[in-house]
């Protein structure tokens, strides 16, 4: 008699005291609990996942197959927990391939396990999937394999990526409101010009007489919008396609990234985000034992800004020639004096990784404070701008009504 395996959702507490959730396939709840205990985790709850038609997983192309940084951070933490618990690397990868909720990532983990089984190192196996696993993770895993502290490195990777996810969510939450309001304002204005103004124009023409100047301008904009709107849609689609293909090109980044840092209001925010990302990644890699020249190559690329990347290259050349780390940074305005001085102190005391961690924590707090301040500033401004635009259009449309009785007479 064949036993049908079922899918269970579980919540466990790892050795660090953190609660980890996931899914796993097994014959019954007891088998799930036993497997989790062999992984060194304390089960909190195990629940069978219903397989009725209403609860079946819906796969949406382009969305369900997406592998995000949060997925990678969870994978790294679970892998570190299992290795620290004494499981072999192949056994840990097999379990992750079965229980990882993201199906696309589960398939990649299965391929990584196969490569490791055939004799490849974990870093080499991860390196075969550069679009899934960041370069920072691959090099840190390599350092952990050489130094014999792979579990600690994976925990550092998980902490680093979790901090990055948190940073991105802060920025996204700050930008969501103004972007949505701006988009709604554009859509409302376009709809009024295309559909409402022509109705008023026909009504006014039937009455005869001369329209007020604001109404004439609005009518002209409405006529122009019928030509401009299709062109804007085509240009927008073409630009979006081009941008998705070329936004990472050096030719684009060389021109765009310096401008980001000079944009009014948002420029300081972009600078703080780039400095936070640079110092956090640099400190994490040095703490993991990655050679400093190799770390500088990687952190420049992962900073997300070409200005920071160029500075990292200058620092690398300085270190290669036997000079200090902090010296070249002082020549780049993107790094505030505090950052340069703290790195110099860390370099002199031999605690550079600790100092870099403190800098990244400080700038994470600065990013949070800046995003909150920007949100408080932008919300009333956007409401005022939208009200001004829509209100002006309504006034311009209703101005001729004041002359209706004169035109009828």
């Amino acid at each position: 008699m064949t036993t049908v395996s079922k899918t269970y959702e579980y919540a466990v507490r790892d050795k660090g005291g953190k609660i980890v959730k996931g899914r796993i396939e097994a014959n019954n709840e007891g088998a799930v609990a036993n497997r989790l205990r062999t992984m060194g985790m304390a089960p909190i709850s195990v629940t069978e996942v219903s397989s009725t038609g209403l609860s079946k997983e819906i796969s949406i192309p382009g969305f369900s197959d997406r592998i995000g940084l949060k997925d990678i951070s969870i994978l790294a933490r679970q892998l570190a927990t299992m290795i620290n618990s004494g499981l072999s690397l192949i056994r840990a990868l097999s379990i992750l391939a079965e229980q990882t909720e993201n199906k696309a990532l589960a398939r990649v983990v299965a391929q990584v396990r196969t490569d490791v089984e055939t004799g490849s190192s974990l870093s080499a196996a991860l390196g075969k999937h550069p679009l899934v696993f960041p370069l920072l993770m691959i090099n840190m895993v390599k350092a952990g394999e050489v130094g014999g502290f792979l579990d600690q490195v994976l925990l550092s990777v998980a902490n680093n990526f979790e901090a990055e996810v948190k940073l991105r969510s802060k920025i996204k939450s700050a930008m969501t409101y103004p972007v949505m309001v701006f988009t709604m304002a554009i859509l409302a204005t376009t709809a009024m010009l295309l559909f409402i103004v022509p109705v008023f124009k026909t009504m006014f023409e039937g009455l005869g007489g001369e329209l007020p100047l604001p109404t004439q301008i609005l009518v002209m904009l409405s006529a122009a919008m019928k030509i401009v709107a299709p062109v804007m849609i085509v240009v927008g689609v073409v630009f979006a396609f081009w941008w998705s293909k070329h936004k990472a090109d050096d030719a684009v980044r060389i021109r765009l990234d310096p401008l980001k840092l000079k944009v009014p209001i948002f420029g300081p925010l972009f600078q703080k985000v780039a400095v936070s990302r640079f110092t956090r990644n640099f400190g994490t890699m040095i703490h993991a034992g990655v050679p400093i020249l190799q770390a500088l190559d990687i952190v420049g690329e992962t900073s997300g800004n070409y200005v920071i990347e160029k500075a990292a290259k200058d620092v690398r050349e300085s270190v290669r020639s036997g000079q200090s780390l902090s010296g070249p940074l002082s020549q780049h305005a993107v790094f505030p004096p505090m950052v340069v001085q703290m790195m110099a102190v860390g370099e002199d005391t031999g605690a550079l990784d600790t100092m870099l961690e403190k800098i990244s924590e400080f700038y994470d707090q600065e990013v949070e404070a800046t995003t909150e301040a920007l949100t408080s500033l932008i919300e009333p401004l956007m409401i005022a701008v939208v009200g001004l635009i829509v209100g002006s259009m309504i006034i311009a449309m209703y101005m001729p009504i004041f002359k209706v009785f004169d035109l009828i007479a």
Side-chain angles (χ1 to χ4, degrees):
M1 182 177 179
T2 304
T3 305
V4 179
S5 62
K6 303 174 183 178
T7 302
Y8 293 89
E9 286 186 346
Y10 66 83
V12 297
R13 194 177 298 276
D14 63 16
K15 288 189 174 182
K18 288 198 172 186
I19 294 178
V20 180
K21 297 181 179 180
R23 288 191 178 191
I24 193 171
E25 290 188 358
N27 296 331
N28 52 56
E29 293 184 6
V32 174
N34 290 334
R35 185 181 297 183
L36 292 172
R37 289 192 188 97
T38 61
M39 293 160 55
M41 298 186 236
I44 298 174
S45 65
V46 177
T47 308
E48 183 181 350
V49 178
S50 175
S51 59
T52 60
L54 292 175
S55 62
K56 285 184 178 178
E57 182 178 354
I58 300 174
S59 179
I60 304 175
F63 290 90
S64 58
D65 290 341
R66 184 179 178 184
I67 301 174
L69 198 61
K70 186 176 181 180
D71 298 317
I72 301 298
S73 67
I74 293 172
L75 175 74
R77 185 169 295 281
Q78 291 178 333
L79 185 58
T81 301
M82 286 187 278
I83 292 175
N84 189 41
S85 301
L87 269 70
S88 67
L89 179 59
I90 293 176
R91 177 61 178 158
L93 289 171
S94 298
I95 294 172
L96 287 174
E98 293 177 5
Q99 73 175 31
T100 300
E101 293 186 24
N102 188 309
K103 300 305 179 185
L105 182 57
R107 289 192 293 269
V108 173
V109 172
Q111 294 172 10
V112 170
R113 178 199 59 201
T114 302
D115 290 335
V116 172
E117 285 177 335
T118 56
S120 295
S121 64
L122 178 60
S123 58
L126 296 177
K128 293 182 179 181
H129 308 275
L131 298 179
V132 176
F133 301 106
L135 192 61
L136 180 142
M137 179 179 180
I138 295 170
N139 282 272
M140 285 183 64
V141 167
K142 185 176 182 179
E145 289 173 329
V146 173
F149 45 89
L150 181 60
D151 55 338
Q152 298 175 26
V153 164
L154 287 168
L155 284 175
S156 296
V157 169
N159 292 331
N160 182 284
F161 289 168
E162 286 167 1
E164 177 68 17
V165 170
K166 186 178 179 181
L167 182 66
R168 291 182 183 181
S169 66
K170 290 176 184 175
I171 300 170
K172 190 179 293 184
S173 63
M175 297 296 293
T176 299
Y177 180 82
V179 169
M180 288 297 295
V181 172
F182 182 69
T183 303
M184 294 301 295
I186 292 176
L187 292 176
T189 303
T190 303
M192 291 179 71
L193 289 173
L194 288 176
F195 304 109
I196 300 177
V197 174
V199 175
F200 277 78
K201 177 187 174 185
T202 304
M203 183 178 68
F204 296 148
E205 286 177 347
L207 295 173
E210 185 178 354
L211 296 175
L213 180 60
T215 310
Q216 292 180 25
I217 295 173
L218 196 62
V219 169
M220 286 190 294
L221 288 174
S222 176
M225 184 58 70
K226 293 179 181 180
I227 300 173
V228 173
V231 174
M232 289 176 62
I233 293 173
V234 172
V235 171
V237 171
V238 172
F239 176 77
F241 179 78
W242 179 89
W243 180 253
S244 65
K245 298 291 184 183
H246 300 283
K247 62 182 178 181
D249 292 354
D250 287 343
V252 176
R253 296 179 62 227
I254 288 172
R255 292 172 174 81
L256 186 62
D257 286 355
L259 294 177
K260 286 182 181 178
L261 302 178
K262 298 177 182 178
V263 174
I265 302 178
F266 290 99
L269 175 61
F270 293 144
Q271 179 187 9
K272 291 171 184 176
V273 170
V275 171
S276 172
R277 188 174 288 146
F278 172 83
T279 52
R280 181 172 57 253
N281 291 344
F282 194 21
T284 303
M285 296 195 76
I286 291 177
H287 182 74
V290 177
I292 192 167
L293 291 176
Q294 186 177 351
L296 285 168
D297 273 336
I298 296 165
V299 296
E301 296 176 9
T302 57
S303 66
N305 193 287
Y306 184 80
V307 178
I308 298 282
E309 186 176 339
K310 185 176 183 300
K313 291 178 180 178
D314 292 345
V315 174
R316 183 187 61 197
E317 295 303 320
S318 173
V319 173
R320 181 175 281 125
S321 61
Q323 299 178 23
S324 67
L325 270 169
S326 55
L329 292 182
S330 61
Q331 302 173 11
H332 295 271
V334 68
F335 290 101
M338 185 199 76
V339 174
V340 178
Q341 293 300 321
M342 288 183 70
M343 287 184 65
V345 172
E347 197 174 6
D348 293 339
T349 59
L352 181 60
D353 55 340
T354 303
M355 199 62 73
L356 287 167
E357 183 181 352
K358 292 183 180 298
I359 295 171
S360 68
E361 289 176 355
F362 171 80
Y363 276 98
D364 280 345
Q365 295 172 358
E366 283 288 294
V367 168
E368 185 173 1
T370 303
T371 52
E372 289 177 358
L374 283 176
T375 303
S376 302
L377 174 66
I378 289 173
E379 284 184 10
L381 285 177
M382 292 297 292
I383 292 172
V385 169
V386 172
L388 181 63
I389 294 173
V390 177
S392 299
M393 293 179 67
I394 292 174
I395 291 172
M397 284 191 295
Y398 280 91
M399 282 180 70
I401 294 179
F402 300 130
K403 298 185 178 180
V404 166
F405 295 106
D406 295 336
L407 293 172
I408 294 175

